[in-house]
Amino acid sequence: MIEPRVPPTREQFSFNAGRLCLDFVNTVRFRPVSDRLELINTYEDLMAWARQATILTPGEAAALAAAARKHGRAAVDALREARALRESIYAIVSSRAAGLPAPEAELRTFNRAVGQAMAHAGLAPAGPRFEWAWPDRAPELDRVSWWVARSAAELLTSSDLTFVRECAGYDCGRLFMDATKNRSRRWCDMRTCGNRAKSRRHHERHRAAAG
Ligand SMILES: [Zn+2]
């Protein structure tokens, strides 16, 4: 049985990939097939995702929303760049997961975003020590991309990169961290892709038994 493709609402972004950057990659659904579904269609969608990801305080979100209303063109640019960053992360990570070299053009796109993020990065006090942060208080419209770029740079330079998987669902394309003990996770979510595969296998067994 194929599930109906109801476009998820903004409240239905999922955050179960194990890394912020992968959750962002997964805001495109059904990536391998022609009727892929884009969940980040407007700058407001990007804000909604960032709020749910808890990378913006309510104050930062309000300031960014106001800035986006005032500078519509710049908000459209920031949205386009965030999506280009997202596609570059998908291309780099999924090619690595498949044991292939990263596409050079995508790596260039990604490195530009990392450069932007690093240009704004600084340290902020965090208890007894400090942490990497964005001390600049100005409501920069590409702030969400900084977080995503940093998360991806951390993953790509870490040995955890070997635990990234692409969902085995034929039309899914979601990326996730395989945190299982024997590194055997194949599905983004057992309730959706895993379940579909299970019922398909069940179906095929029945058919084979009947034939
Ligand atoms: Zn899946």
Side-chain angles (χ1 to χ4, degrees):
M1 191 185 74
I2 306 287
E3 283 173 83
R5 288 182 183 178
V6 181
T9 66
R10 282 181 196 169
E11 305 313 315
Q12 288 175 326
F13 294 123
S14 61
F15 292 92
N16 60 358
R19 288 289 188 284
L20 180 78
C21 59
L22 301 183
D23 287 328
F24 193 57
V25 164
N26 293 344
T27 58
V28 170
R29 301 287 292 112
F30 315 114
R31 199 186 286 271
V33 292
S34 55
D35 52 345
R36 55 186 272 176
L37 184 64
E38 172 63 76
L39 302 185
I40 309 279
N41 291 295
T42 63
Y43 194 79
E44 286 73 36
D45 293 342
L46 186 64
M47 290 291 92
W49 180 84
R51 274 199 308 275
Q52 283 178 52
T54 64
I55 57 173
L56 295 178
T57 64
E60 285 169 342
L64 277 180
R69 278 193 298 275
K70 204 164 145 196
H71 308 287
R73 277 285 296 261
V76 169
D77 287 348
L79 172 67
R80 195 185 54 236
E81 276 164 28
R83 295 206 300 210
L85 167 63
R86 181 187 64 188
E87 296 315 298
S88 74
I89 296 169
Y90 172 76
I92 297 165
V93 173
S94 73
S95 57
R96 274 288 142 176
L100 300 167
E104 272 178 41
E106 301 291 356
L107 194 54
R108 273 198 299 276
T109 301
F110 177 73
N111 278 336
R112 267 197 304 277
V114 171
Q116 288 287 324
M118 288 182 88
H120 290 90
L123 297 187
R129 50 189 193 96
F130 293 82
E131 64 182 9
W132 285 106
W134 320 108
D136 185 2
R137 295 262 135 226
E140 300 273 359
L141 289 167
D142 50 355
R143 184 173 277 261
V144 176
S145 291
W146 304 343
W147 280 98
V148 172
R150 186 173 93 185
S151 163
E154 284 170 357
L155 175 61
L156 289 165
T157 55
S158 141
S159 55
D160 286 354
L161 185 58
T162 56
F163 304 137
V164 180
R165 307 276 180 269
E166 183 159 350
C167 179
Y170 79 99
D171 64 349
C172 180
R174 276 179 166 168
L175 301 179
F176 58 85
M177 300 301 293
D178 179 4
T180 58
K181 236 195 192 128
N182 54 358
R183 308 295 174 197
S184 60
R185 183 174 160 196
R186 297 186 62 207
W187 316 106
C188 63
D189 193 330
M190 274 318 292
R191 288 167 305 174
T192 54
C193 290
N195 218 356
R196 260 166 51 191
K198 216 165 65 189
S199 60
R200 196 176 309 131
R201 275 200 305 276
H202 178 80
H203 211 76
E204 279 159 12
R205 263 202 308 274
H206 264 254
R207 260 212 318 253

